[in-house]
Coordinates of all heavy atoms in Angstrom, one line a residue:
Chain A
D49 N -12.2 9.8 -31.1 CA -12.4 9.0 -32.2 C -13.9 8.7 -32.3 O -14.4 7.7 -31.7 CB -11.7 7.7 -32.1 CG -11.7 6.9 -33.4 OD1 -12.6 7.1 -34.2 OD2 -10.8 6.0 -33.7
R174 N 12.7 4.6 -17.9 CA 13.8 4.1 -18.9 C 14.9 5.2 -19.0 O 15.8 4.8 -19.7 CB 13.2 4.0 -20.3 CG 12.3 2.7 -20.3 CD 11.3 2.9 -21.4 NE 10.0 2.4 -20.7 CZ 9.6 1.1 -20.9 NH1 10.3 0.2 -21.5 NH2 8.5 0.7 -20.4
K191 N -8.2 16.7 -36.9 CA -8.8 16.0 -38.0 C -9.8 16.8 -38.8 O -10.2 17.9 -38.4 CB -9.5 14.7 -37.4 CG -8.5 13.9 -36.6 CD -9.2 12.5 -36.2 CE -9.4 12.5 -34.7 NZ -10.0 11.3 -34.1
G285 N 5.0 -5.8 -13.0 CA 5.7 -4.6 -13.5 C 6.2 -3.6 -12.4 O 6.7 -2.6 -12.7
E293 N 4.7 -10.0 -0.9 CA 3.9 -10.1 -2.0 C 2.4 -9.8 -1.7 O 1.8 -9.2 -2.5 CB 4.0 -11.6 -2.6 CG 5.3 -11.8 -3.2 CD 5.4 -12.9 -4.2 OE1 5.4 -14.1 -3.8 OE2 5.3 -12.6 -5.5
E376 N -9.6 -21.1 3.7 CA -8.4 -21.7 3.2 C -8.6 -22.8 2.2 O -7.8 -23.5 1.8 CB -7.5 -22.1 4.3 CG -8.1 -23.3 5.2 CD -7.6 -23.2 6.6 OE1 -7.0 -22.1 7.0 OE2 -7.6 -24.2 7.3
R377 N -9.9 -22.9 1.9 CA -10.2 -24.1 1.0 C -10.8 -23.7 -0.3 O -11.1 -24.4 -1.3 CB -11.4 -24.9 1.6 CG -10.7 -26.0 2.5 CD -11.8 -26.7 3.4 NE -11.5 -26.3 4.8 CZ -10.7 -27.0 5.5 NH1 -10.4 -28.2 5.1 NH2 -10.4 -26.6 6.7
F454 N -14.7 -41.6 10.4 CA -15.3 -40.3 9.9 C -15.7 -40.4 8.4 O -16.7 -39.6 8.0 CB -14.3 -39.2 10.0 CG -13.9 -39.0 11.4 CD1 -12.6 -38.6 11.8 CD2 -14.8 -39.1 12.5 CE1 -12.3 -38.3 13.2 CE2 -14.5 -38.8 13.7 CZ -13.3 -38.5 14.1
R458 N -19.0 -38.6 7.1 CA -19.0 -37.5 6.1 C -19.9 -37.8 4.9 O -20.7 -36.9 4.6 CB -17.5 -37.4 5.7 CG -17.4 -36.3 4.5 CD -16.0 -36.0 4.1 NE -15.2 -35.5 5.2 CZ -14.3 -36.3 5.9 NH1 -14.1 -37.5 5.4 NH2 -13.6 -35.8 6.9
A467 N -15.4 -32.6 1.5 CA -16.3 -31.7 2.2 C -15.5 -30.8 3.1 O -14.4 -31.1 3.5 CB -17.4 -32.5 2.9
Chain B
rC5 P 15.3 3.6 -27.1 OP1 15.7 4.6 -26.1 OP2 16.4 3.0 -27.9 O5' 14.4 2.5 -26.3 C5' 13.5 2.9 -25.5 C4' 12.6 1.6 -25.0 O4' 12.0 1.0 -26.2 C3' 13.4 0.6 -24.4 O3' 13.7 0.8 -23.1 C2' 12.5 -0.7 -24.6 O2' 11.3 -0.6 -23.6 C1' 11.9 -0.4 -25.9 N1 12.7 -1.1 -26.9 C2 12.3 -2.5 -27.2 O2 11.5 -3.0 -26.4 N3 13.1 -3.2 -28.1 C4 14.0 -2.5 -28.8 N4 14.7 -3.3 -29.7 C5 14.3 -1.1 -28.6 C6 13.7 -0.6 -27.7
rU13 P 7.5 -8.8 -13.6 OP1 6.9 -7.6 -13.9 OP2 8.5 -9.4 -14.6 O5' 8.1 -8.9 -12.1 C5' 9.4 -8.6 -11.9 C4' 9.7 -9.1 -10.5 O4' 9.6 -10.6 -10.4 C3' 11.2 -8.9 -10.0 O3' 11.1 -7.5 -9.5 C2' 11.3 -9.8 -8.9 O2' 10.5 -9.4 -7.7 C1' 10.6 -11.0 -9.4 N1 11.5 -11.9 -10.2 C2 12.4 -12.6 -9.5 O2 12.4 -12.5 -8.2 N3 13.2 -13.5 -10.1 C4 13.3 -13.7 -11.5 O4 14.2 -14.4 -11.9 C5 12.3 -12.9 -12.2 C6 11.5 -12.1 -11.6
rA25 P 9.4 -18.8 -0.8 OP1 8.7 -19.2 0.4 OP2 10.3 -19.7 -1.5 O5' 8.3 -18.1 -1.8 C5' 7.5 -17.2 -1.5 C4' 6.6 -16.8 -2.6 O4' 7.5 -16.1 -3.5 C3' 5.9 -17.9 -3.4 O3' 4.8 -18.4 -2.9 C2' 5.7 -17.1 -4.8 O2' 4.6 -16.3 -4.6 C1' 6.9 -16.4 -4.9 N9 8.0 -17.1 -5.7 C8 9.0 -17.7 -5.2 N7 9.8 -18.3 -6.1 C5 9.1 -18.0 -7.3 C6 9.4 -18.4 -8.7 N6 10.4 -19.0 -9.1 N1 8.5 -17.8 -9.6 C2 7.4 -17.1 -9.1 N3 7.1 -16.7 -7.9 C4 7.9 -17.2 -7.0
rC35 P -6.9 -37.0 12.1 OP1 -7.7 -36.7 13.2 OP2 -5.8 -38.0 12.2 O5' -7.7 -37.3 10.8 C5' -8.3 -38.5 10.5 C4' -9.5 -38.2 9.6 O4' -10.6 -37.6 10.4 C3' -9.1 -37.4 8.5 O3' -8.6 -37.9 7.5 C2' -10.6 -36.8 8.1 O2' -11.3 -37.8 7.3 C1' -11.3 -36.8 9.6 N1 -11.3 -35.5 10.0 C2 -12.3 -34.5 9.6 O2 -13.1 -35.0 8.7 N3 -12.4 -33.3 10.1 C4 -11.7 -32.9 11.0 N4 -11.7 -31.7 11.6 C5 -10.5 -33.8 11.5 C6 -10.5 -35.1 11.1
rU36 P -7.6 -37.2 6.4 OP1 -6.5 -38.1 5.9 OP2 -7.2 -36.0 7.0 O5' -8.6 -37.0 5.1 C5' -9.0 -38.0 4.5 C4' -10.0 -37.5 3.4 O4' -11.2 -36.9 4.0 C3' -9.5 -36.4 2.6 O3' -8.6 -36.8 1.5 C2' -10.8 -35.7 2.1 O2' -11.4 -36.3 1.0 C1' -11.6 -35.9 3.4 N1 -11.7 -34.6 4.3 C2 -12.4 -33.6 3.8 O2 -13.1 -33.6 2.8 N3 -12.4 -32.4 4.6 C4 -11.7 -32.4 5.9 O4 -11.8 -31.3 6.5 C5 -11.0 -33.5 6.2 C6 -10.9 -34.6 5.4
rC37 P -7.3 -36.1 1.1 OP1 -6.8 -36.8 -0.1 OP2 -6.6 -35.8 2.3 O5' -7.9 -34.5 0.6 C5' -8.7 -34.6 -0.5 C4' -9.3 -33.2 -0.6 O4' -10.1 -32.8 0.5 C3' -8.2 -32.1 -0.6 O3' -7.7 -31.9 -1.9 C2' -9.0 -30.9 -0.2 O2' -9.8 -30.4 -1.3 C1' -10.0 -31.5 0.8 N1 -9.5 -31.3 2.2 C2 -9.9 -30.3 2.9 O2 -10.6 -29.4 2.3 N3 -9.4 -30.1 4.3 C4 -8.7 -31.0 4.8 N4 -8.2 -30.8 6.1 C5 -8.2 -32.2 4.1 C6 -8.6 -32.3 2.8
rA38 P -6.2 -31.2 -2.0 OP1 -5.8 -31.3 -3.4 OP2 -5.3 -31.7 -1.0 O5' -6.6 -29.7 -1.6 C5' -5.7 -28.9 -1.1 C4' -6.4 -27.7 -0.3 O4' -7.3 -28.4 0.7 C3' -5.5 -26.7 0.4 O3' -5.1 -25.8 -0.5 C2' -6.5 -26.3 1.4 O2' -7.5 -25.3 0.9 C1' -7.3 -27.5 1.8 N9 -6.6 -28.2 2.9 C8 -5.9 -29.5 2.8 N7 -5.5 -29.9 3.9 C5 -5.8 -28.9 4.8 C6 -5.6 -28.7 6.2 N6 -4.9 -29.6 6.9 N1 -6.0 -27.6 6.8 C2 -6.7 -26.7 6.0 N3 -7.0 -26.8 4.8 C4 -6.5 -27.8 4.1
rC71 P 1.4 -1.5 -31.1 OP1 0.1 -1.0 -30.6 OP2 1.6 -2.7 -31.9 O5' 2.2 -0.3 -31.7 C5' 2.2 1.0 -31.1 C4' 3.2 1.9 -31.9 O4' 4.5 1.4 -31.8 C3' 2.9 2.1 -33.3 O3' 1.8 3.1 -33.6 C2' 4.2 2.6 -34.0 O2' 4.5 4.0 -33.5 C1' 5.2 1.6 -33.1 N1 5.6 0.5 -33.9 C2 6.6 0.6 -34.8 O2 7.0 1.8 -35.0 N3 6.9 -0.5 -35.5 C4 6.4 -1.7 -35.3 N4 6.8 -2.7 -36.0 C5 5.3 -1.8 -34.3 C6 5.0 -0.7 -33.6
rC74 P -3.1 9.8 -41.2 OP1 -3.3 8.5 -41.9 OP2 -2.3 10.8 -42.0 O5' -4.3 10.4 -40.4 C5' -4.2 11.2 -39.4 C4' -5.6 11.4 -39.0 O4' -6.2 12.5 -39.7 C3' -6.4 10.2 -39.1 O3' -6.8 9.5 -37.9 C2' -7.5 10.6 -40.2 O2' -8.8 10.2 -39.7 C1' -7.4 12.1 -40.1 N1 -7.6 12.6 -41.6 C2 -8.6 13.4 -41.8 O2 -9.4 13.7 -40.8 N3 -8.9 13.9 -43.0 C4 -8.1 13.6 -44.0 N4 -8.3 14.2 -45.2 C5 -7.0 12.7 -43.8 C6 -6.8 12.2 -42.6
rC75 P -8.0 9.5 -37.1 OP1 -9.2 9.9 -37.9 OP2 -7.6 10.2 -36.0 O5' -8.4 8.1 -36.6 C5' -7.2 7.2 -36.3 C4' -7.7 6.6 -35.1 O4' -7.2 5.2 -35.1 C3' -7.2 7.2 -33.8 O3' -7.9 8.3 -33.4 C2' -7.3 6.1 -32.8 O2' -8.6 5.9 -32.4 C1' -6.9 4.9 -33.6 N1 -5.5 4.4 -33.7 C2 -5.3 3.2 -33.1 O2 -6.2 2.5 -32.6 N3 -3.9 2.8 -32.9 C4 -2.9 3.6 -33.4 N4 -1.7 3.1 -33.3 C5 -3.2 4.9 -34.0 C6 -4.6 5.2 -34.1
rA76 P -7.4 9.3 -32.3 OP1 -8.3 10.4 -32.3 OP2 -6.0 9.4 -32.2 O5' -8.0 8.3 -31.1 C5' -7.7 8.6 -29.7 C4' -7.4 7.4 -28.8 O4' -7.0 6.3 -29.8 C3' -6.4 7.5 -27.8 O3' -7.0 8.1 -26.7 C2' -5.9 6.2 -27.7 O2' -6.7 5.3 -27.0 C1' -6.0 5.6 -29.1 N9 -4.6 6.0 -29.8 C8 -4.4 7.0 -30.6 N7 -3.1 7.1 -31.1 C5 -2.6 5.9 -30.6 C6 -1.3 5.4 -30.8 N6 -0.3 5.9 -31.5 N1 -1.0 4.2 -30.2 C2 -2.0 3.7 -29.4 N3 -3.3 4.1 -29.2 C4 -3.5 5.2 -29.8

Side-chain angles (χ1 to χ4, degrees):
Chain A
D49 185 341
R174 284 149 227 272
K191 303 182 241 184
E293 294 203 279
E376 58 207 25
R377 274 164 248 269
F454 299 145
R458 172 177 303 104

